[in-house]
Amino acid sequence: IASSGSQPRPTYMQTKQATALATSARLTEHLAREARAVRESTRVLSETSEARAALREELGGTRIGAEVGDLLRKAQGAMRAASASQRKEAEAAKREVVAMRRLGRALQGPR
């Protein structure tokens, strides 16, 4: 027996819609974090490229220059791989957000 001041329980569809909207909001936040990580990776990769260019100019042809250049080249390779992985994760998160929003709209029914 419900008291006169209590709210009616949400329907199954209302619960599913609320869950879809909450999931969509979490995925949107995740997508924003992924986008920031991709931008940061791109910035660091650019700075590493600039460092390699400066190294070639200053220490090109020396043994130390070759060793440091090799380390920077390896760092660039690792950053490229990480950046590619982050971009793929961001794209997947974006697809999930779109799917969850579509699900939320579908559960709302015609307006």
Side-chain angles (χ1 to χ4, degrees):
I1 298 176
S3 65
S4 61
S6 69
Q7 295 283 335
R9 290 183 59 169
T11 65
Y12 174 77
M13 293 303 283
Q14 289 170 331
T15 302
K16 290 296 269 184
Q17 179 186 2
T19 301
L21 292 174
T23 301
S24 176
R26 284 192 306 274
L27 287 172
T28 300
E29 291 171 13
H30 177 70
L31 182 59
R33 284 191 303 272
E34 290 290 333
R36 282 191 298 273
V38 168
R39 284 192 303 272
E40 179 67 13
S41 293
T42 302
R43 183 188 64 77
V44 170
L45 189 58
S46 175
E47 288 177 0
T48 306
S49 294
E50 291 171 9
R52 283 186 71 199
L55 176 73
R56 277 192 301 273
E57 187 175 310
E58 294 294 321
L59 298 175
T62 67
R63 183 174 170 216
I64 291 174
E67 289 178 20
V68 174
D70 186 48
L71 290 173
L72 286 173
R73 184 181 50 76
K74 289 177 182 176
Q76 274 185 305
M79 283 302 300
R80 279 191 185 97
S83 184
S85 176
Q86 286 173 334
R87 276 193 302 275
K88 288 177 184 178
E89 287 179 23
E91 290 167 6
K94 185 175 181 179
R95 285 191 300 272
E96 286 183 54
V97 167
V98 170
M100 292 307 295
R101 287 184 179 157
R102 284 183 185 150
L103 177 62
R105 285 193 299 268
L107 292 173
Q108 284 179 344
R111 293 181 183 206

